[in-house]
Amino acid sequence: MLKQFAAYYRPFKRLFWLDFSCAVVSGLLELVFPLAITGFIDHLLPQNDWGLTVLAAFGLLVIYAVNTALMGVVIYWGHMLGINIETTMRARAFAHLTKLGWGFFDRMETGRLIARVTRDLEEIGEVAHHGPEDLFIAIMTFIGALILMAYIHPQLALITCIIVPAMVWLTAVYGGRMTSAWRSIYARVGAFNVRLEEALGGIRIVQAFAREKHEAGLFERDNQGYRTTKLSAYRIMAHATALQYMGLRLVQVVVMVAGAGYVIDGSLTTGGFVGFLLLVNVFFRPLEKIAAVIETYPRGIAGFRNYLDLLNTDPEIADAPDARPAPAFHGEIRFDRVAFSYAGKASVLHEVDLTIRAGETVALVGASGAGKSTLMSLVPRFYDPSSGKVLIDGVALADMTLESLRDQIGLVSQEVFLFGGTLRENIAYGKLDATEEELALAVQRAQLTEFVAGLPEGLETVVGERGVMLSGGQRQRVAIARIFLKNPPILLLDEATSALDSQTEREIQAALTELARNRTSLIIAHRLSTIEHADRILVMDQGKIVQEGTHEALLAQTGIYRRLHHQDAV
């Protein structure tokens, strides 16, 4: 884990060495002051030379000025180093998240993932700054102070060292407990974020059902759980800090008494005694520093472990080592003995054999849970079949790169997702470098021209989070315009009009008919009236295709389609 962490310093080596070297020099200068005091008392004062005394004081002031500048460098540039590493990790975590398959997001809660790339990485940034320099400076200061104390008075130095093993043991034990405590805190933060996201994201449902008190109660449970877990961490910290403080003060008292005895018997000068007392503080400062960062290090370690857990999550859907960019599609789709089951669940598809010809419009109908959406989601490789394979133009999907595959497939679903920016940004998502002419044509073909013209800010109108400022039909038209702009050879329509009223549905259907022209189209329909024009209609039941034909041919048969059509008519 340390080797993996160290790798993030490589792009910022110059910044690291600037911070590290300044911190080391600053630590060495801290050792100068006790020696200066010893020399001041033992050598300067007996000479009664005021000029030399002022000159020595001025020299000490210069040293402090240099140390002040070094501390400024360490604080600002050191934190820049930490922030740079934090930013790099956050970018890598986000890029990795976007590569993970739908199965991962089916299992994970968004609030926990947000915590992974925000709170966790902020703590890592602090450790990235303080970690190496604090450890090295602590060891350097510890050894340096010990050498100087032994130089001033070996016996007194030995007395001081007696307490060291106990202090090191205390730091190790409580450090481990703090790491465990902060991992628990991060788990609580994830649950906290999930509750917050669900309550605020579903605020309309919360208020519609007057469940504000209920949600407040659920939030309070998670809030109190977070409080309890965090308090337990600070309880451990309080014990460690109190014991270390008492240990240091005990040593100081023992040194004071023993040192006074050595001064009385003449083996230690007054200046040496004062300097030694100051060196005791310097000697134990590394342990105090470690005690102070006991709060920071475990958080960073816990955060980095969570970060590594995320990066070590392999994408369920990924490019094969020999995958190649897909050629321009004609649009033939072939399902070859395809079976599929979600992890740990019963099979959803059973030995599906199907060929959709290039340019053909094929509709999927059937009861909820028949496997329609699952079959469609295999085409862009949102999931991979449990057995069998899917091919486009005779090439297996696994042999193509995901980007080149999905770049030639357009999806419009019932649940339209719009980003919180402008209409222009949402439509242009289909083609990021689209010209004004291409945008205008997409708007026209999606039957949005009149709507956009009636807006004071036109395409620059902000649609709100998830498109909340637009109606369902308007959001659907924006999604259709986005696909027009993308202009893919294969089109997937997953119940794209099921949530709309009849009038809006007829308007949207006209746009969808235009969208499907000259493309291979796979359509899932809730209302059968919207797919009567399809070249073929496939009826699915319990993961199998049980009927196939045109609308008229299927109506002439006794079976599921005829029954569904009668129910739809009613």
Side-chain angles (χ1 to χ4, degrees):
M1 189 174 71
L2 288 174
K3 188 182 292 184
Q4 288 175 294
F5 191 75
Y8 286 93
Y9 286 94
R10 290 196 188 105
F12 314 106
K13 285 189 287 189
R14 291 184 179 180
L15 196 56
F16 169 77
W17 286 116
L18 173 67
D19 171 50
F20 188 78
S21 57
C22 288
V24 168
V25 174
S26 177
L28 288 171
L29 291 179
E30 282 294 308
L31 295 172
V32 171
F33 184 66
L35 293 181
I37 293 298
T38 300
F40 189 87
I41 295 174
D42 286 346
H43 302 292
L44 284 181
L45 287 183
Q47 294 182 37
N48 297 317
D49 189 335
W50 181 248
L52 188 59
T53 301
V54 171
L55 185 63
F58 180 76
L60 192 59
L61 194 60
V62 169
I63 292 173
Y64 279 142
V66 170
N67 205 13
T68 300
L70 292 172
M71 289 171 63
V73 171
V74 170
I75 291 172
Y76 179 74
W77 296 100
H79 278 100
M80 180 186 289
L81 171 65
I83 291 169
N84 287 350
I85 290 174
E86 175 191 335
T87 303
T88 301
M89 288 182 173
R90 184 171 289 117
R92 187 175 176 187
F94 180 78
H96 187 72
L97 278 171
T98 59
K99 293 176 183 176
L100 297 176
W102 284 19
F104 173 81
F105 293 102
D106 290 342
R107 299 187 299 271
M108 287 295 291
E109 294 161 314
T110 304
R112 295 185 187 278
L113 296 178
I114 291 172
R116 292 278 178 93
V117 296
T118 52
R119 176 69 183 269
D120 289 15
L121 294 183
E122 288 176 3
E123 304 297 348
I124 293 173
E126 280 298 301
V127 173
H129 168 210
H130 293 290
E133 68 184 45
D134 280 358
L135 180 62
F136 182 82
I137 293 170
I139 295 172
M140 180 194 71
T141 307
F142 190 80
I143 295 173
L146 180 60
I147 291 171
L148 292 177
M149 285 191 298
Y151 171 74
I152 293 173
H153 200 280
Q155 294 91 339
L156 202 53
L158 184 62
I159 293 172
T160 306
C161 287
I162 292 173
I163 195 69
V164 170
M167 300 291 279
V168 171
W169 175 83
L170 199 64
T171 300
V173 169
Y174 279 95
R177 292 181 185 177
M178 284 298 298
T179 299
S180 176
W182 279 106
R183 290 208 79 179
S184 299
I185 287 173
Y186 284 148
R188 287 286 188 182
V189 169
F192 192 81
N193 285 351
V194 169
R195 175 59 55 197
L196 192 61
E197 183 196 12
E198 288 181 348
L200 298 181
I203 191 64
R204 288 166 179 78
I205 297 298
V206 172
Q207 293 180 351
F209 283 85
R211 292 294 181 263
E212 292 89 345
K213 291 182 179 178
H214 172 72
E215 288 298 326
L218 294 176
F219 183 84
E220 181 62 15
R221 183 188 64 191
D222 287 334
N223 200 17
Q224 288 299 323
Y226 177 65
R227 173 184 177 275
T228 301
T229 306
K230 202 166 185 179
L231 280 176
S232 67
Y234 284 116
R235 189 178 300 112
I236 296 169
M237 189 191 308
H239 290 161
T241 304
L243 288 171
Q244 286 166 342
Y245 174 85
M246 188 60 203
L248 172 60
R249 298 302 174 251
L250 176 63
V251 171
Q252 285 178 325
V253 170
V254 170
V255 167
M256 236 168 38
V257 173
Y262 289 125
V263 170
I264 292 170
D265 68 18
S267 64
L268 181 64
T269 66
T270 304
F273 178 50
V274 174
F276 196 98
L277 283 174
L278 293 175
L279 280 171
V280 168
N281 283 326
V282 176
F283 179 70
F284 280 100
R285 193 169 298 158
L287 295 178
E288 286 189 315
K289 182 183 282 288
I290 292 173
V293 298
I294 268 183
E295 180 184 359
T296 305
Y297 279 21
R299 290 201 303 243
I301 292 168
F304 190 62
R305 282 179 177 163
N306 287 343
Y307 170 75
L308 291 181
D309 288 344
L310 175 61
L311 292 189
N312 290 333
T313 303
D314 294 325
E316 297 170 357
I317 308 296
D319 289 337
D322 57 349
R324 297 181 178 180
F329 289 158
H330 297 292
E332 182 190 79
I333 306 172
R334 167 81 175 131
F335 294 87
D336 183 14
R337 299 178 64 82
V338 167
F340 179 81
S341 61
Y342 294 100
K345 296 184 179 179
S347 294
V348 179
L349 298 176
H350 306 275
E351 301 291 319
V352 175
D353 267 309
L354 170 66
T355 299
I356 302 172
R357 295 181 294 275
E360 186 179 21
T361 296
V362 174
L364 299 174
V365 300
S368 177
K372 306 182 299 296
S373 294
T374 300
L375 186 69
M376 180 178 283
S377 67
L378 297 180
V379 178
R381 277 195 79 195
F382 294 142
Y383 301 96
D384 275 338
S386 304
S387 63
K389 57 184 176 180
V390 183
L391 306 94
I392 295 180
D393 296 338
V395 180
L397 300 189
D399 294 334
M400 311 175 194
T401 61
L402 285 171
E403 183 178 4
S404 65
L405 166 68
R406 293 171 181 172
D407 203 40
Q408 299 187 69
I409 297 174
L411 172 64
V412 181
S413 62
Q414 175 185 346
E415 296 294 330
V416 175
F417 184 91
L418 298 184
F419 297 95
T422 63
L423 272 174
R424 176 188 298 278
E425 291 168 342
N426 276 284
I427 295 172
Y429 206 76
K431 185 180 180 183
L432 298 177
D433 58 351
T435 63
E436 286 297 318
E437 292 74 16
E438 289 173 322
L439 278 169
L441 182 59
V443 168
Q444 177 188 340
R445 296 181 74 184
Q447 301 188 16
L448 270 171
T449 305
E450 186 178 339
F451 168 67
V452 173
L455 296 171
E457 297 180 59
L459 287 176
E460 306 307 323
T461 301
V462 175
V463 301
E465 186 178 3
R466 295 178 180 267
V468 70
M469 306 299 290
L470 306 181
S471 69
Q474 289 163 351
R475 287 197 295 271
Q476 201 66 269
R477 285 191 185 93
V478 171
I480 293 170
R482 193 157 58 192
I483 299 301
F484 269 124
L485 200 58
K486 185 176 183 180
N487 195 27
I490 296 175
L491 178 64
L492 307 177
L493 302 176
D494 188 357
E495 301 198 65
T497 63
S498 64
L500 307 177
D501 60 82
S502 299
Q503 175 62 31
T504 304
E505 182 183 43
R506 281 192 293 273
E507 296 171 357
I508 297 296
Q509 194 59 47
L512 290 175
T513 301
E514 169 69 13
L515 180 61
R517 186 172 298 155
N518 300 322
R519 309 176 200 273
T520 303
S521 302
L522 188 58
I523 304 171
I524 297 174
H526 179 70
R527 297 188 181 96
L528 301 189
S529 58
T530 62
I531 47 91
E532 293 177 359
H533 66 285
D535 298 319
R536 271 192 298 162
I537 298 173
L538 308 177
V539 182
M540 296 193 68
D541 184 45
Q542 297 183 2
K544 298 179 180 179
I545 297 173
V546 295
Q547 284 184 286
E548 178 179 343
T550 63
H551 171 67
E552 293 77 12
L554 290 173
L555 275 184
Q557 302 174 15
T558 300
I560 294 175
Y561 185 82
R562 189 172 177 179
R563 186 172 70 249
L564 290 172
H565 187 270
H566 289 325
Q567 292 173 352
D568 196 34
V570 174

